[in-house]
Amino acid sequence: MLKNIFQKLENPKRPLLGPNVKALQFWGLLLPKNAWLKYFYILMHILVTVFTATECIDVWFVKSDINLLLNNLKITMLATMSVTKVTTFLFWQKYWISIIEYVTKADLNQRKTTDEKKLELLSGFTKYCRKITYLYWSLMYTTVIIVMVQPIFKYVSSETYRLNVKNGTDTYLQVVSSWVPWNKNKMVGYLAASVYQSYAAIYGGGWITSFDTNSMVIMVFFRAELELLRIDSKDIFGTESKQVEHDVAIKRLKDCHRRHVELVKFARLFDSCLSPIMLLYMFVCSVMLCVTAYQITIETDPMQRFLTTEYLVFGVAQLFIYCWHSNDVLFASEDLMRGPYESIWWTKSVKYHKDLYILVAQFNKTVVFSAGPFTMLTVATFINILKGAYSYYTLLSQSQMK
């Protein structure tokens, strides 16, 4: 069954980005041409954005209870992050479309090769992209399901909680803490609020998964293209036993130069679209990790602690995957310059050396993604964020002990 579902997500015209583009279209990040459908998606986006605003409003009403405040804070910041992603994606849609089309075109051109080594490399990267896409989707919706089921589970499993709710000493546990203009402590009002909160959780989850997996797969593409460029630049002059003619060598050299110029251009465009979001992401994840870690230490209910731990794992995984893949692109970019030197350049005359030097100078341009103007997106940065989150956690713990 799952195999059939995955097969339907594939698109022969987009062998690398097939499932990711379909997810972007399904959740309305890539707006359709049909006017009615387009306005429908815009309405859906507005409803979730309004819901996020109600979460922010609710912070004021729960500020006196540290547990409710922290719980609201971690969800609200993640929701604000999702709204920012979608808003920027919609405003910069033409840039995202141009990036997606470039990735698709370049990927299709590479798949025309008969070189088994390159085909094996492409196949490996494609399988890897499917794994991270489907695993990330699974992790996200496991989190969404847990958030939605948590109030029901607590109501069914805890007799004390049920009695407290009935006699008015406790309130209904919300799916997501948010403000509503009616009494959500009455059953009818609570159910109405829960429906809206569940809708926002599901749709927000769709936003996160479609945006993040698309960005991650594009990062993987840049790494793959850099590795393929290294292979091609190594083979510019053929091999010692089978050297190519002058025209073929010049054509290969020009092709490698053109491809790298194009890659750098779209990598910078991709970074300009992603960098502001990643800067906000770093701040949000630092606070979210700190808050979630603190909740785990103060929580006494084993099930609640497990659910909070799962949320922490999701928060760490989100940022780590971005940093890991950006780190891979950085190393592939730095290794690329070795390609021309791995060719049989020493068998060629000086006029070839000059052309090869121009190519090496082009390859010397580093490709890496950033989080605003402050830092590169690397594993070292991720570790620093964890250290910062731990420092915030320590401060929060000590302040509550006083």
Side-chain angles (χ1 to χ4, degrees):
M1 182 181 174
L2 280 176
K3 189 176 179 180
N4 291 333
I5 294 172
F6 293 153
Q7 196 61 40
K8 288 180 179 179
L9 291 172
E10 297 295 334
N11 184 352
K13 294 180 180 179
R14 299 186 189 274
L16 185 67
L17 282 171
N20 307 97
V21 171
K22 285 191 175 180
L24 289 171
Q25 292 170 338
F26 180 80
W27 294 108
L29 274 75
L30 283 175
L31 293 172
K33 293 181 180 179
N34 182 284
W36 289 106
L37 200 56
K38 181 179 179 179
Y39 291 132
F40 167 76
Y41 276 120
I42 290 173
L43 175 63
M44 299 283 276
H45 296 329
I46 291 171
L47 287 174
V48 178
T49 304
V50 170
F51 176 79
T52 304
T54 66
E55 289 183 283
C56 297
I57 294 170
D58 197 57
V59 171
W60 173 261
F61 293 98
V62 299
K63 65 182 186 296
S64 58
D65 189 321
I66 185 65
N67 290 329
L68 289 177
L69 178 62
L70 293 178
N71 194 54
N72 178 290
L73 203 58
K74 70 178 183 181
I75 299 289
T76 300
M77 294 189 79
L78 186 61
T80 304
M81 189 71 248
S82 300
V83 170
T84 305
K85 286 179 184 178
V86 173
T87 304
T88 57
F89 195 97
L90 294 175
F91 274 109
W92 298 334
Q93 185 134 135
K94 65 178 182 180
Y95 301 124
W96 279 105
I97 291 173
S98 66
I99 293 166
I100 291 169
E101 292 307 319
Y102 158 70
V103 170
T104 301
K105 181 182 175 183
D107 181 56
L108 286 171
N109 287 337
Q110 289 304 315
R111 291 175 192 271
K112 294 175 184 176
T113 184
T114 55
D115 187 327
E116 290 187 6
K117 183 179 179 181
K118 291 172 71 175
L119 287 172
E120 185 179 350
L121 186 70
L122 286 166
S123 176
F125 276 117
T126 304
K127 289 177 181 177
Y128 175 75
C129 288
R130 294 297 179 271
K131 286 179 182 177
I132 61 170
T133 296
Y134 297 142
L135 285 173
Y136 193 85
W137 288 2
S138 302
L139 182 60
M140 177 69 237
Y141 276 100
T142 299
T143 305
V144 170
I145 290 169
I146 286 173
V147 168
M148 290 173 60
V149 171
Q150 186 179 347
I152 301 172
F153 179 82
K154 186 174 181 178
Y155 191 83
V156 171
S157 62
S158 175
E159 185 178 354
T160 305
Y161 170 70
R162 288 198 302 273
L163 291 173
N164 289 341
V165 169
K166 288 177 181 178
N167 61 31
T169 57
D170 206 344
T171 58
Y172 288 109
L173 181 64
Q174 298 179 73
V175 174
V176 179
S177 181
S178 66
W179 174 84
V180 289
W182 60 80
N183 188 353
K184 56 186 176 183
N185 292 320
K186 300 292 183 180
M187 180 56 72
V188 176
Y190 173 71
L191 290 175
S194 295
V195 169
Y196 190 25
Q197 291 166 358
S198 299
Y199 154 75
I202 294 169
Y203 210 79
W207 278 0
I208 294 172
T209 53
S210 56
F211 183 95
D212 285 351
T213 53
N214 177 66
S215 300
M216 291 168 191
V217 170
I218 289 174
M219 284 183 174
V220 173
F221 160 79
F222 282 120
R223 177 194 167 187
E225 182 69 3
L226 288 165
E227 291 192 14
L228 291 168
L229 261 174
R230 181 177 175 179
I231 293 171
D232 288 338
S233 60
K234 179 181 177 181
D235 196 41
I236 286 174
F237 305 115
T239 61
E240 287 186 74
S241 59
K242 191 178 179 181
Q243 297 187 24
V244 299
E245 296 179 358
H246 170 77
D247 292 343
V248 176
I250 293 299
K251 184 178 180 297
R252 288 181 178 181
L253 196 147
K254 287 181 178 179
D255 184 61
C256 286
H257 188 277
R258 176 192 58 78
R259 282 169 56 195
H260 192 262
V261 168
E262 202 172 18
L263 184 147
V264 170
K265 172 189 171 183
F266 281 97
R268 287 175 178 172
L269 179 61
F270 175 71
D271 187 48
S272 68
C273 292
L274 192 67
S275 181
I277 296 168
M278 293 314 302
L279 178 62
L280 181 60
Y281 222 152
M282 286 181 141
F283 172 72
V284 167
C285 281
S286 296
V287 176
M288 190 175 71
L289 296 180
C290 159
V291 168
T292 310
Y294 175 74
Q295 283 187 309
I296 291 171
T297 58
I298 64 171
E299 187 59 60
T300 55
D301 183 13
M303 179 55 68
Q304 191 66 31
R305 182 175 289 182
F306 167 77
L307 298 177
T308 309
T309 303
E310 196 278 338
Y311 193 89
L312 177 65
V313 170
F314 174 69
V316 172
Q318 273 187 301
L319 188 59
F320 175 73
I321 294 174
Y322 272 109
C323 292
W324 179 267
H325 290 109
S326 179
N327 201 76
D328 280 348
V329 173
L330 174 61
F331 278 95
S333 174
E334 291 175 343
D335 288 343
L336 176 60
M337 205 166 52
R338 297 181 184 181
Y341 292 114
E342 291 170 337
S343 68
I344 54 169
W345 61 270
W346 67 88
T347 65
K348 299 299 177 182
S349 62
V350 175
K351 66 176 182 180
Y352 285 106
H353 293 178
K354 291 179 180 178
D355 291 335
L356 205 63
Y357 181 76
I358 293 172
L359 181 64
V360 170
Q362 173 63 33
F363 282 0
N364 195 36
K365 294 178 180 178
T366 303
V367 180
V368 66
F369 307 113
S370 60
F374 304 108
T375 183
M376 293 191 299
L377 209 58
T378 61
V379 172
T381 304
F382 172 75
I383 293 170
N384 288 333
I385 291 169
L386 290 185
K387 289 179 179 177
Y390 180 75
S391 299
Y392 303 149
Y393 159 75
T394 304
L395 286 172
L396 183 62
S397 299
Q398 290 178 348
S399 66
Q400 291 303 307
M401 289 173 64
K402 293 178 181 179

